[in-house]
């Protein structure tokens, strides 16, 4: 059975497990910081704002996560001292700057009723079991929102793009990536869903 809860409802006991799902799901994107999932989980655990993350639980364990923010809200609050403690003085300082520049910042368009969904990922061992679909459907049913956006999805991420299209999202922007050959993909795709009624 899949149950979806907000991170702060699950509480601090779930913080590390939620972070581990995020780290495993975005291992390729987080490789600059470290290729060691345990070290990444140690470094990132403190910065997750639990009230901004929804978690799909499969048999009581976090199986998929996604952030939901609106306006100028952030889903992370990285602390320089914590990042340095786990990644080292020099690499930790650079990593903190990269985190702030790459993973913080509100969407260009902000208004009441518009929510940004981000960092959607499923634990590799739980893929293909409907957890991401259940998570997204739960988020799309949240009150107070009439429009949802997903920014900067890699154009090579066919499973994610397919799921979002199936849920009614449509592409509204493509942004070419620098050094596409090295990055392994060409464009970042942004999608939106406007709910009526």
């Amino acid at each position: 059975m899949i149950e979806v809860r907000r991170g702060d409802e699950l509480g601090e006991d779930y913080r590390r497990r939620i972070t581990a799902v995020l780290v495993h799901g975005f291992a390729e994107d987080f490789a600059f910081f470290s290729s060691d999932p345990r070290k990444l989980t140690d470094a990132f655990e403190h910065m997750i704002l639990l009230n901004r993350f929804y978690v799909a639980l499969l048999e009581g364990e976090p199986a998929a996560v996604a952030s939901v923010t609106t306006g100028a809200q952030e889903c992370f609050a990285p602390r320089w001292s914590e990042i340095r403690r786990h990644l080292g003085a020099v690499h930790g300082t650079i990593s903190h700057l990269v985190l702030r520049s790459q993973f913080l910042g509100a969407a260009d368009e902000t208004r009441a009723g518009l929510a940004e969904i981000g960092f959607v990922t499923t634990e590799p061992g739980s893929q293909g079991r409907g957890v991401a679909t259940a998570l997204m459907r739960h988020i799309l049913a949240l009150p107070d929102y009439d429009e949802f956006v997903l920014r900067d999805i890699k154009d090579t991420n066919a499973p994610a793009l397919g799921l979002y299209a199936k849920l009614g999202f449509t592409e509204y922007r493509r942004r070419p990536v620098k050094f596409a050959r090295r990055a392994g993909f060409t464009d970042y795709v942004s999608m939106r869903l406007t709910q009526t009624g």
Side-chain angles (χ1 to χ4, degrees), residues 180-191:
R181 180 171 290 187
R182 191 173 75 198
F185 63 103
T186 307
D187 294 306
Y188 284 114
V189 178
S190 294
M191 304 180 82

Side-chain angles (χ1 to χ4, degrees), residues 11-26:
E12 288 295 324
D13 289 347
Y14 277 79
R15 175 179 289 279
R16 185 167 183 84
R17 288 178 275 174
I18 292 168
T19 307
V21 173
L22 190 70
V23 162
H24 284 109
F26 287 95

Side-chain angles (χ1 to χ4, degrees), residues 27-170:
E28 183 179 300
D29 300 289
F30 294 158
F32 166 80
F33 306 111
S34 175
S35 59
D36 180 347
R38 181 178 294 275
K39 185 182 276 193
L40 279 174
T41 303
D42 291 342
F44 291 176
E45 182 178 0
H46 77 280
M47 73 181 193
I48 302 261
L49 297 176
L50 291 176
N51 62 332
R52 303 278 196 262
F53 278 86
Y54 284 82
V55 183
L57 301 166
L58 189 59
E59 299 169 12
E61 285 299 314
V65 300
S67 65
V68 177
T69 55
T70 186
Q73 292 176 339
E74 300 286 1
C75 58
F76 299 127
R79 290 194 306 270
W80 177 66
S81 59
E82 279 295 303
I83 302 293
R84 276 176 51 117
R85 183 162 75 89
H86 295 290
L87 299 181
V90 174
H91 188 60
T93 298
I94 295 167
S95 295
H96 182 259
L97 293 171
V98 171
L99 278 169
R100 294 195 67 77
S101 70
Q102 297 297 311
F103 298 113
L104 299 183
D108 299 334
E109 64 261 298
T110 60
R111 64 166 179 80
L114 172 65
E116 179 177 353
I117 303 171
F119 296 98
V120 183
T121 191
T122 303
E123 177 69 32
S126 300
Q127 291 175 352
R129 300 178 69 183
V131 289
T133 301
L135 177 61
M136 289 296 295
R137 285 193 172 134
H138 179 91
I139 291 169
L140 295 177
L142 292 172
D144 303 324
Y145 302 118
D146 59 24
E147 187 173 8
F148 295 89
V149 295
L150 292 150
R151 288 192 297 161
D152 294 345
I153 309 150
K154 293 177 182 177
D155 63 356
T156 54
N157 192 345
L161 293 169
L163 170 62
Y164 304 145
K166 184 175 90 175
L167 293 170
F169 282 85
T170 56

